[in-house]
Amino acid sequence: MRKKIVAANWKMNKTLQEGEALVKSILSGSTNSEDITKIIFPPSLFIPDFVSLVKENASFSVGAQNCYHTEVGAFTGEISASAIASCGAKYVIIGHSERREYFKETPQQLLTKIQLALIHGLTPVFCVGEKLPDRKSNHYFSAVKQQLSDVVFLLPEEMFSKLILAYEPVWAIGTGETATPEQAQEMHAFIRFAIEEKYNKDVAKQISVLYGGSCNAKNAKELFACADVDGGLIGGASLVAEDFLQIVNSF
Ligand code: 13P
């Protein structure tokens, strides 16, 4: 059975105090969803505090939104995978489209980040997703396949099988325009098939593939009902406790 996961990518939102209040509301409103892994990705500064807030709730974890692609050294302002792990985080998002676009992260850097994350015991959540022109010109399968081939398909099976993948069509992120369940399902099935081709059926079957891009309390149910959608990576709607909880209850 694949893990069901709902992850909250807060991006650069919330102060520590606002964030603590939000986590507390989520924890107090969370009901009978022990089999669903909930991951909060706050700004990295909040990680130690949030790790202690969620420590009594086994189905909740905390992660970082990024890590640097070098083990250690003179890189002012950056955060290493080992530092993130030492604060009790369990996950790290790698290759979010905002990082690829605004920070010009390259496939080689993303691969190194994943390797460092795995060395330090973090589970990478690796993001792929086509831009609008690729969607419009029907090149979305090849765009996503390329992103997989350029980074995670370079990993040996035992490393690849530790990953979580997230399909986040760039045209759906923060736009209010969501992929339809049909569009999500066809891409998730395509990704799973590509994994089977590259590795094997067992790996393809056990990897969780999350959907992200304007997923909210209203549309989560029909997206999560898709056979190959194992949960969501939620941006805007994860900043409101009731909405996030409703998404968690959408399986
Ligand atoms: P939105 O849910 O705000 O569209 O963001 C999705 C996302 O980028 C999650 O990583």
Side-chain angles (χ1 to χ4, degrees), residues 88-161:
K90 300 281 183 242
Y91 297 86
V92 59
I93 299 174
I94 309 273
H96 191 282
S97 58
E98 288 151 15
R99 298 227 43 106
R100 294 178 191 255
E101 175 81 15
Y102 305 140
F103 302 96
K104 308 291 176 227
E105 294 188 348
T106 65
Q108 180 54 53
Q109 289 171 346
L110 300 182
L111 180 61
T112 309
K113 284 169 191 248
I114 289 175
Q115 289 163 333
L116 287 169
L118 289 170
I119 286 169
H120 293 287
L122 297 169
T123 298
V125 178
F126 180 69
C127 302
V128 294
E130 80 283 1
K131 295 181 181 175
L132 190 59
D134 288 327
R135 172 57 58 176
K136 283 193 163 154
S137 62
N138 282 327
H139 288 114
Y140 45 96
F141 286 137
S142 56
V144 167
K145 179 80 178 284
Q146 194 67 48
Q147 291 173 331
L148 293 168
S149 303
D150 285 348
V151 184
V152 286
F153 282 179
L154 300 175
L155 294 166
E157 179 183 329
E158 72 272 18
M159 289 177 96
F160 179 85
S161 57

Side-chain angles (χ1 to χ4, degrees), residues 9 33 37 43 62 64 73 87 92 114 131 136 138 148 157-158 167 182-183 197 208 222 239:
N9 178 7
S33 57
T37 301
V62 181
C87 291
V92 59
I114 289 175
K131 295 181 181 175
K136 283 193 163 154
N138 282 327
L148 293 168
E157 179 183 329
E158 72 272 18
Y167 169 54
E182 294 73 26
Q183 288 172 324
E197 267 189 339
S208 293
E222 53 179 13
L239 299 171

Side-chain angles (χ1 to χ4, degrees), residues 9 11 93 96 98 168 172-175 212-215 233-237:
N9 178 7
K11 309 190 180 183
I93 299 174
H96 191 282
E98 288 151 15
E168 299 207 311
I173 295 178
T175 59
S214 298
C215 182
L233 180 53
I234 318 298

